[in-house]
Amino acid sequence: DSGVTQTPKHLITATGQRVTLRCSPRSGDLSVYWYQQSLDQGLQFLIQYYNGEERAKGNILERFSAQQFPDLHSELNLSSLELGDSALYFCASSVHRGSYEQYFGPGTRLTVT
Amino acid sequence: GESVGLHLPTLSVQEGDNSIINCAYSNSASDYFIWYKQESGKGPQFIIDIRSNMDKRQGQRVTVLLNKTVKHLSLQIAATQPGDSAVYFCASQAGTALIFGKGTTLSVSS
């Protein structure tokens, strides 16, 4: 158990809908990272937050957004969902601002039908 | 563009053998490299890391080798066990982001 929690574990929704994925980092970790894992693209970095502020952006679509709250939990919002958004979404956390030794949560499996 | 890749998508070994998983990276500016293990249904788990100013780093049953000249990274697992069966990813850090390779599936048979 990495100490990172993610909810929900599974999510099934229809195209065009909007969903919110939630992540709680390890106790004491200030950085939260979101990744998307699909069969054809592998594990892709989406976005990083550090202590409530956005630090880095990767391959995140404009339809996706995230935020980190004062209690350090983070939410990833996915809107106008398309079939191609079906994937595993992982949250990771680390103590430092840089991405040294990130600890991953169990993931949320999103299925868009 | 920047990429991190693995040479072989699958590797099958016998229990007790040593396993070597290879990875090539393209960004010479990468200063930090990590190996992750992902078991079925779980998130990636940190195994070992190495900084660009090192050639070798050892952990418990694992060794990472870095050859900056040819931009190659390898993970060696000694006395491979059935519990080592998983997908292994190498990742490189450049700035804040981690760039992951596609993964090698290691299968260990008894």
Side-chain angles (χ1 to χ4, degrees):
Chain A
D1 184 3
S2 67
V4 178
T5 60
Q6 288 187 248
T7 56
K9 193 169 178 62
H10 301 280
L11 198 49
I12 301 174
T13 189
T15 54
Q17 295 298 305
R18 172 189 169 94
V19 296
T20 297
L21 313 183
R22 183 187 169 102
C23 167
S24 292
R26 290 187 322 157
S27 177
D29 285 359
L30 298 178
S31 267
V32 170
Y33 311 80
W34 285 97
Y35 291 85
Q36 179 192 59
Q37 186 175 40
S38 60
L39 282 174
D40 56 342
Q41 293 295 320
L43 203 60
Q44 300 268 315
F45 168 71
L46 295 178
I47 197 164
Q48 178 203 1
Y49 278 81
Y50 175 78
N51 204 20
E53 296 196 359
E54 182 184 303
R55 291 294 301 176
K57 262 186 175 180
N59 300 321
I60 188 166
L61 299 172
E62 286 191 11
R63 299 184 285 109
F64 296 0
S65 65
Q67 53 185 327
Q68 186 179 27
F69 295 87
D71 67 353
L72 300 177
H73 91 271
S74 177
E75 293 181 355
L76 178 67
N77 300 296
L78 315 176
S79 61
S80 302
L81 285 167
E82 302 174 0
L83 295 176
D85 297 328
S86 295
L88 271 167
Y89 291 84
F90 288 104
C91 166
S93 72
S94 70
V95 173
H96 302 291
R97 196 175 312 179
S99 51
Y100 299 97
E101 198 166 338
Q102 295 179 21
Y103 292 86
F104 282 75
T108 292
R109 181 173 292 279
L110 174 66
T111 302
V112 183
T113 61
Chain B
E2 187 170 0
S3 66
V4 176
L6 289 171
H7 294 303
L8 289 175
T10 61
L11 177 64
S12 297
V13 301
Q14 292 284 324
E15 181 178 0
D17 287 351
N18 295 331
S19 302
I20 300 176
I21 302 172
N22 296 305
C23 178
Y25 63 93
S26 61
N27 186 356
S28 300
S30 294
D31 52 11
Y32 182 69
F33 303 87
I34 312 105
W35 281 98
Y36 281 89
K37 171 186 179 183
Q38 186 175 19
E39 296 174 277
S40 180
K42 297 184 178 179
Q45 176 188 1
F46 175 91
I47 301 173
I48 191 168
D49 58 2
I50 188 168
R51 296 185 186 275
S52 59
N53 61 354
M54 301 170 68
D55 298 321
K56 178 179 179 178
R57 189 166 188 217
Q58 288 185 291
Q60 188 175 13
R61 281 201 307 118
V62 294
T63 301
V64 56
L65 299 177
L66 176 63
N67 185 330
K68 295 180 288 295
T69 302
V70 296
K71 292 188 279 189
H72 182 270
L73 191 69
S74 69
L75 176 71
Q76 300 178 3
I77 305 173
T80 313
Q81 303 168 0
D84 295 326
S85 294
V87 180
Y88 289 82
F89 295 93
C90 65
S92 67
Q93 180 190 14
T96 304
L98 274 180
I99 300 171
F100 282 80
K102 291 257 192 239
T104 288
T105 300
L106 176 65
S107 298
V108 183
S109 51
S110 304

